[in-house]
Amino acid sequence: MFAIETRKLSKYYGKARGIVDLDLTVAKGEFFGFIGPNGAGKSTTIRTLLGLIEPSGGEASVLGMDIGSERKKILSRIGYLPSEAVFHSGMRVKDVLKLSADLRGCHCDGEAKALCARLGLDIGRKVEELSFGNRKKVGIVCALQHRPELLILDEPTSGLDPLMQREFFEILQERNRDGTTIFLSSHILSEIQRNCRRAAIIREGRIIACDSVEALARSNAKRVTLSGEAELSGLSGVRDLKCDGDSFSFLYGGDMDDLIRCLGRGHVRELSIAEPDLDEIFMHYYEEDGQ
Amino acid sequence: MTIVKHELRQGRTSFCVWTGAIAVMMAFCVFLFPEMKGEMDSISDAFSSMGAFSSAFGMDQLNFGTLIGYYAIECGNVLGLGGAFFASLCAAGALAKEERDRTAEFLLTHPVSRARIITEKLVAVILQVIAMSAVVYGVSIGSIGLVGEDIPWKELNLLHLAYFLLQLELAGVCFGISAFMRKGSIGAGLGVAIMVYFLNLISNITESAEFLKYITPFSFTDGADIVTEGKLDVGLVLVGMGIGALGIAAAYWHYGRKDIQ
């Protein structure tokens, strides 16, 4: 049984595309990444799985249960962290945590306290006084305090400082080791690379790649920037070549040895070989997809 | 009951302000009565002979010189409008505010069925309307006692019952509106309350617009009818309750399948 399984899942908002024929499987116990640019359909997918919106076509199940007919049962066994955590104004953090626990019918004071302590969250504050990052922490505790079997996280680290991000991912790794399935939606590739074993890339509502993270990263090109003289015409795997005087910049997807031999024949003053930024990786998949 | 409690806590300030304001106004009106009673003989004649204006407010049928006549018109308008506004406001916000304030995602990703959310929110609205009516009823009776008048129990109870039913109907209608709207539901709710109030004035003024009395719940709260007849117009009340029930049914029907933003 899969933690998440969708078959030809589609959602249109009127005529506007949300997601199209999405086929996705996430095994139980996986730490799964879901990558895509803004507006690609990440949140639409998640909101459909949670039953907030009704799919226009296809079907999906979460923890083996149908998202349409068994919504309540599904929600009792998952934890969800929205990309923008908003709570009822006038409430204190502890009231929000209590409300969330009461709605789930669980007594999880101990777990909530431990999480608040690890995240450095003051439960006496009013939620509307909190910064974006601190509100996010409230959302994290709400998603985790009942120890769900499946965690669905929508851009969880936005607003968290680097130390907090590290602590947060440590908590996630611990939960994952204890058997929790984690579905992490993000547009930050490094986050996915560090934490996930498998990932899917979504673009314009469709899954364009789904594989282990190593395999996805391997097919990634590098951004090569150099100044000096070099003859690149014989080199295969060069894309997006930009020349400016004797400076070159290009995406390289070929064999590294070939590149080094080729550059060795010229005269290179400066050289940097770096991970391309996220846009470029998406571009890479887009082009692959287009071919 | 978690959501009922949560809703009551969220609506606490609005409840206190509205209930307090209506109760104070009611008490004021009653306290003014002894002073006006002496001058009433002449005023009553004047009030009852202003043509359409008199009939709009039922002043052609009621005697301003008696407490119940005065109460049915003056206090009736305060409680009628105030109560209608409060009930509409309370119900119109109930479902829509979650999407407007973007808290719907939080609420609806907990293992609670939408039907239960609707039911608990509706219960919270009705409880607030009941509590407001009870407080205002108590304050009104207390102030009549304070000014030393005999309490006309039967008419007073009928009047307050009628206004309570009016609030229920408007709450039902506005609750339905609340399920369909994301923004502007409060404005729509107040608009409905004002509209039906004026429809009643119109239906009182001209015979040709009498059919309006089936649309506006203010028709069965008409103080003149209640005091002179000594009972509520059951037919109008039933139509009103039916309209309110339709609003609630629409809320269940639509909110159960709606895409949440």
Side-chain angles (χ1 to χ4, degrees), chain A residues 91-146:
Chain A
M91 295 180 83
R92 295 189 187 280
V93 172
K94 58 180 174 216
D95 300 330
V96 172
L97 301 181
K98 173 90 179 11
L99 174 65
S100 177
D102 286 349
L103 286 171
R104 295 185 174 282
C106 86
H107 303 283
C108 32
D109 283 2
E111 190 67 37
K113 246 181 218 146
L115 286 165
C116 288
R118 284 185 75 170
L119 295 168
L121 182 62
D122 177 1
I123 59 167
R125 298 273 301 275
K126 286 206 165 178
V127 282
E128 67 263 33
E129 293 166 1
L130 296 179
S131 66
F132 185 72
N134 276 324
R135 273 214 309 277
K136 198 98 195 187
K137 291 181 194 170
V138 182
I140 292 171
V141 180
C142 285
L144 291 168
Q145 64 174 349
H146 56 291

Coordinates of all heavy atoms in Angstrom, one line a residue, chain A residues 91-146:
Chain A
M91 N -6.1 34.8 19.4 CA -5.8 33.6 20.2 C -4.3 33.6 20.5 O -3.5 34.1 19.8 CB -6.1 32.3 19.3 CG -7.5 32.1 19.0 SD -7.8 30.7 18.1 CE -7.8 29.4 19.3
R92 N -4.0 33.0 21.7 CA -2.6 32.8 22.1 C -2.2 31.5 21.4 O -3.0 30.6 21.1 CB -2.5 32.7 23.6 CG -2.8 34.1 24.2 CD -2.5 34.2 25.7 NE -3.0 35.4 26.2 CZ -2.4 36.6 26.0 NH1 -1.3 36.7 25.4 NH2 -3.0 37.7 26.5
V93 N -0.8 31.4 21.3 CA -0.2 30.2 20.7 C -0.8 28.9 21.4 O -1.2 27.9 20.7 CB 1.3 30.2 20.8 CG1 1.9 28.9 20.3 CG2 1.8 31.4 19.9
K94 N -0.8 28.9 22.7 CA -1.3 27.7 23.4 C -2.7 27.4 23.1 O -3.1 26.2 23.1 CB -1.0 27.8 24.9 CG -1.7 29.0 25.6 CD -1.4 29.0 27.1 CE -2.0 30.2 27.7 NZ -1.2 30.8 28.7
D95 N -3.5 28.4 22.9 CA -4.9 28.2 22.6 C -5.1 27.5 21.2 O -5.9 26.7 20.9 CB -5.7 29.5 22.5 CG -5.7 30.2 23.9 OD1 -5.6 29.5 24.9 OD2 -5.8 31.4 23.9
V96 N -4.2 28.0 20.2 CA -4.2 27.4 18.9 C -3.8 25.9 18.9 O -4.5 25.1 18.4 CB -3.3 28.2 18.0 CG1 -3.2 27.5 16.6 CG2 -3.7 29.6 17.7
L97 N -2.8 25.7 19.7 CA -2.3 24.3 19.8 C -3.4 23.4 20.5 O -3.6 22.3 20.1 CB -1.0 24.2 20.6 CG 0.2 25.0 20.0 CD1 1.4 24.8 20.9 CD2 0.5 24.6 18.6
K98 N -4.0 24.0 21.5 CA -5.1 23.2 22.2 C -6.3 23.0 21.2 O -6.8 21.9 21.2 CB -5.5 24.1 23.4 CG -6.7 23.6 24.2 CD -6.3 22.6 25.3 CE -7.4 22.1 26.2 NZ -8.7 22.2 25.8
L99 N -6.6 24.0 20.5 CA -7.8 23.9 19.5 C -7.5 22.8 18.5 O -8.3 22.0 18.2 CB -8.0 25.3 18.8 CG -9.0 25.3 17.7 CD1 -10.4 25.0 18.2 CD2 -9.1 26.6 16.9
S100 N -6.3 22.8 18.0 CA -5.9 21.8 17.0 C -5.9 20.4 17.6 O -6.5 19.5 17.0 CB -4.5 22.1 16.5 OG -4.1 21.1 15.6
A101 N -5.4 20.3 18.8 CA -5.5 19.0 19.5 C -6.9 18.6 19.8 O -7.3 17.4 19.6 CB -4.7 19.1 20.8
D102 N -7.7 19.5 20.2 CA -9.1 19.2 20.5 C -9.9 18.7 19.3 O -10.7 17.8 19.3 CB -9.9 20.4 21.1 CG -9.4 20.6 22.6 OD1 -8.8 19.8 23.1 OD2 -9.8 21.7 23.1
L103 N -9.6 19.4 18.1 CA -10.3 19.1 16.9 C -9.9 17.6 16.5 O -10.6 17.0 15.8 CB -9.9 20.1 15.8 CG -10.6 21.4 15.9 CD1 -10.0 22.4 14.9 CD2 -12.1 21.3 15.7
R104 N -8.7 17.2 16.9 CA -8.2 15.9 16.6 C -8.6 14.9 17.7 O -8.4 13.7 17.6 CB -6.7 15.8 16.4 CG -6.3 16.6 15.2 CD -4.8 16.5 15.0 NE -4.4 17.2 13.8 CZ -4.6 16.7 12.6 NH1 -5.1 15.5 12.4 NH2 -4.3 17.4 11.5
G105 N -9.1 15.4 18.8 CA -9.5 14.6 19.9 C -8.3 13.9 20.5 O -8.3 12.7 21.0
C106 N -7.1 14.6 20.5 CA -5.9 13.9 21.1 C -5.4 14.7 22.2 O -5.6 15.9 22.3 CB -4.8 13.7 20.0 SG -3.8 15.1 19.7
H107 N -4.8 14.0 23.1 CA -4.1 14.7 24.3 C -2.6 14.6 24.0 O -2.0 13.6 24.3 CB -4.5 14.0 25.6 CG -6.0 13.9 25.8 ND1 -6.7 15.0 26.2 CD2 -6.9 12.9 25.5 CE1 -8.0 14.6 26.2 NE2 -8.1 13.4 25.8
C108 N -2.1 15.7 23.5 CA -0.7 15.7 23.1 C 0.0 16.9 23.7 O 0.9 17.4 23.1 CB -0.6 15.6 21.6 SG -1.9 16.4 20.7
D109 N -0.3 17.2 24.9 CA 0.4 18.3 25.6 C 1.9 18.1 25.7 O 2.7 19.0 25.4 CB -0.1 18.5 27.0 CG -1.5 19.2 27.1 OD1 -2.0 19.5 26.0 OD2 -2.0 19.4 28.2
G110 N 2.3 16.9 26.0 CA 3.7 16.6 26.2 C 4.5 16.8 24.9 O 5.5 17.5 24.9
E111 N 3.9 16.2 23.8 CA 4.6 16.3 22.5 C 4.7 17.8 22.1 O 5.7 18.3 21.6 CB 3.8 15.5 21.5 CG 4.5 15.3 20.2 CD 5.8 14.5 20.3 OE1 5.8 13.5 21.1 OE2 6.7 14.8 19.6
A112 N 3.6 18.5 22.3 CA 3.5 19.9 21.9 C 4.6 20.7 22.7 O 5.3 21.5 22.1 CB 2.1 20.5 22.2
K113 N 4.7 20.4 24.0 CA 5.7 21.2 24.8 C 7.1 20.9 24.3 O 7.9 21.8 24.2 CB 5.5 20.7 26.3 CG 5.1 21.9 27.2 CD 4.9 21.4 28.6 CE 3.7 22.1 29.2 NZ 3.0 21.3 30.2
A114 N 7.4 19.6 24.1 CA 8.7 19.2 23.6 C 9.0 19.9 22.3 O 10.1 20.5 22.1 CB 8.8 17.7 23.4
L115 N 8.0 20.0 21.4 CA 8.3 20.6 20.1 C 8.5 22.1 20.2 O 9.4 22.7 19.6 CB 7.1 20.4 19.1 CG 7.0 18.9 18.6 CD1 5.6 18.7 18.0 CD2 8.1 18.7 17.5
C116 N 7.7 22.8 21.1 CA 7.8 24.2 21.3 C 9.2 24.5 21.9 O 9.8 25.5 21.5 CB 6.7 24.7 22.3 SG 5.1 24.7 21.5
A117 N 9.6 23.7 22.8 CA 11.0 23.9 23.4 C 12.1 23.8 22.3 O 13.0 24.6 22.2 CB 11.2 22.9 24.5
R118 N 12.0 22.8 21.5 CA 13.0 22.6 20.4 C 13.0 23.7 19.4 O 14.0 24.1 18.9 CB 12.8 21.3 19.7 CG 13.2 20.1 20.5 CD 13.1 18.8 19.7 NE 14.2 18.7 18.7 CZ 14.4 17.5 18.1 NH1 13.6 16.5 18.3 NH2 15.4 17.5 17.2
L119 N 11.8 24.3 19.1 CA 11.7 25.3 18.1 C 11.8 26.7 18.7 O 11.8 27.7 18.0 CB 10.4 25.2 17.4 CG 10.2 23.9 16.5 CD1 8.8 23.8 16.0 CD2 11.2 24.0 15.3
G120 N 11.9 26.8 20.1 CA 12.0 28.1 20.7 C 10.8 28.9 20.6 O 10.8 30.1 20.3
L121 N 9.6 28.3 20.7 CA 8.3 29.0 20.5 C 7.7 29.3 21.9 O 7.5 28.5 22.7 CB 7.4 28.1 19.7 CG 6.0 28.6 19.3 CD1 6.2 29.8 18.4 CD2 5.2 27.6 18.6
D122 N 7.4 30.6 22.0 CA 6.8 31.1 23.3 C 5.3 30.9 23.1 O 4.6 31.6 22.3 CB 7.1 32.6 23.4 CG 6.5 33.2 24.7 OD1 5.7 32.5 25.4 OD2 6.7 34.4 24.9
I123 N 4.7 30.0 24.0 CA 3.3 29.7 23.8 C 2.3 30.7 24.4 O 1.1 30.7 24.3 CB 2.9 28.3 24.4 CG1 3.2 28.2 25.9 CG2 3.6 27.2 23.6 CD1 2.6 27.0 26.5
G124 N 2.9 31.7 25.1 CA 2.0 32.7 25.7 C 1.7 33.9 24.8 O 0.9 34.7 25.1
R125 N 2.4 34.0 23.6 CA 2.2 35.1 22.7 C 0.9 35.0 22.0 O 0.4 33.9 21.8 CB 3.4 35.2 21.7 CG 4.7 35.4 22.3 CD 5.1 36.8 22.5 NE 5.1 37.6 21.2 CZ 6.1 37.7 20.4 NH1 7.2 37.0 20.6 NH2 6.0 38.4 19.3
K126 N 0.4 36.2 21.5 CA -0.8 36.1 20.7 C -0.3 35.9 19.2 O 0.7 36.4 18.8 CB -1.5 37.5 20.8 CG -2.2 37.7 22.1 CD -3.4 38.6 21.9 CE -4.3 38.5 23.1 NZ -5.4 39.4 23.1
V127 N -1.1 35.1 18.5 CA -0.7 34.7 17.2 C -0.5 35.9 16.2 O 0.4 35.9 15.3 CB -1.6 33.6 16.5 CG1 -1.3 32.3 17.1 CG2 -3.0 34.0 16.6
E128 N -1.4 36.9 16.3 CA -1.2 38.0 15.4 C 0.0 38.9 15.6 O 0.4 39.7 14.8 CB -2.5 38.9 15.3 CG -2.8 39.7 16.5 CD -3.8 38.9 17.4 OE1 -3.8 37.7 17.5 OE2 -4.6 39.6 18.1
E129 N 0.6 38.7 16.8 CA 1.8 39.5 17.1 C 3.1 38.7 16.6 O 4.2 39.3 16.6 CB 2.0 39.7 18.6 CG 0.9 40.5 19.2 CD 0.9 40.4 20.7 OE1 1.7 39.7 21.3 OE2 0.1 41.1 21.3
L130 N 2.9 37.5 16.1 CA 4.1 36.7 15.8 C 4.6 37.1 14.4 O 3.8 37.5 13.5 CB 3.7 35.2 15.8 CG 3.3 34.6 17.1 CD1 3.0 33.1 16.9 CD2 4.4 34.7 18.1
S131 N 5.9 36.9 14.2 CA 6.5 37.1 12.9 C 6.1 35.9 12.0 O 5.6 34.9 12.5 CB 8.0 37.2 13.0 OG 8.5 35.9 13.4
F132 N 6.3 36.1 10.7 CA 6.0 35.0 9.8 C 6.7 33.7 10.2 O 6.0 32.6 10.2 CB 6.5 35.4 8.4 CG 6.1 34.5 7.3 CD1 4.8 34.4 6.8 CD2 7.1 33.7 6.7 CE1 4.5 33.5 5.8 CE2 6.7 32.8 5.7 CZ 5.4 32.7 5.2
G133 N 7.9 33.8 10.5 CA 8.7 32.6 10.9 C 8.1 31.9 12.2 O 8.0 30.7 12.2
N134 N 7.7 32.7 13.1 CA 7.2 32.2 14.4 C 5.8 31.6 14.2 O 5.4 30.6 14.8 CB 7.1 33.2 15.5 CG 8.5 33.3 16.2 OD1 9.2 32.3 16.4 ND2 8.9 34.5 16.5
R135 N 5.0 32.2 13.2 CA 3.7 31.6 12.9 C 3.9 30.3 12.3 O 3.2 29.3 12.5 CB 3.0 32.5 12.0 CG 2.2 33.6 12.6 CD 0.9 33.9 11.9 NE 1.1 34.2 10.5 CZ 1.5 35.4 10.0 NH1 1.7 36.4 10.8 NH2 1.7 35.6 8.7
K136 N 5.0 30.2 11.5 CA 5.3 28.9 10.8 C 5.6 27.8 11.9 O 5.2 26.7 11.7 CB 6.5 29.1 9.9 CG 6.7 28.1 8.9 CD 6.2 28.5 7.6 CE 6.1 27.4 6.6 NZ 5.7 27.9 5.3
K137 N 6.3 28.3 12.9 CA 6.6 27.3 14.0 C 5.3 26.8 14.6 O 5.2 25.6 15.0 CB 7.4 27.9 15.1 CG 8.8 28.3 14.6 CD 9.6 28.9 15.8 CE 10.9 29.5 15.3 NZ 11.4 30.3 16.5
V138 N 4.3 27.7 14.8 CA 3.0 27.2 15.4 C 2.4 26.2 14.4 O 1.9 25.1 14.9 CB 2.0 28.4 15.5 CG1 0.7 27.9 16.1 CG2 2.6 29.5 16.4
G139 N 2.5 26.4 13.1 CA 2.0 25.5 12.1 C 2.7 24.2 12.2 O 2.1 23.1 12.1
I140 N 4.0 24.2 12.4 CA 4.8 23.0 12.5 C 4.4 22.2 13.7 O 4.1 20.9 13.6 CB 6.3 23.3 12.7 CG1 6.8 23.9 11.4 CG2 7.1 22.1 13.0 CD1 8.3 24.5 11.4
V141 N 4.2 22.8 14.9 CA 3.7 22.1 16.1 C 2.4 21.5 15.8 O 2.1 20.3 16.2 CB 3.8 23.0 17.3 CG1 3.3 22.2 18.5 CG2 5.2 23.5 17.6
C142 N 1.4 22.2 15.2 CA 0.1 21.7 14.9 C 0.2 20.5 14.0 O -0.6 19.6 14.1 CB -0.8 22.8 14.2 SG -1.3 24.1 15.3
A143 N 1.1 20.5 13.1 CA 1.2 19.4 12.1 C 1.9 18.2 12.8 O 1.6 17.1 12.3 CB 2.1 19.8 10.9
L144 N 2.7 18.4 13.8 CA 3.5 17.3 14.3 C 3.0 16.8 15.7 O 3.3 15.6 16.0 CB 5.0 17.7 14.5 CG 5.8 18.0 13.2 CD1 7.1 18.6 13.5 CD2 6.0 16.7 12.5
Q145 N 2.3 17.6 16.4 CA 2.0 17.2 17.8 C 1.3 15.9 18.0 O 1.4 15.3 19.0 CB 1.4 18.4 18.6 CG 0.0 18.7 18.1 CD -0.7 19.8 18.9 OE1 -0.2 20.1 20.0 NE2 -1.8 20.3 18.5
H146 N 0.4 15.5 17.0 CA -0.3 14.3 17.2 C 0.4 13.1 16.6 O -0.2 12.0 16.5 CB -1.7 14.5 16.6 CG -1.7 14.9 15.1 ND1 -1.3 16.1 14.7 CD2 -2.0 14.2 14.0 CE1 -1.3 16.2 13.4 NE2 -1.8 15.0 13.0

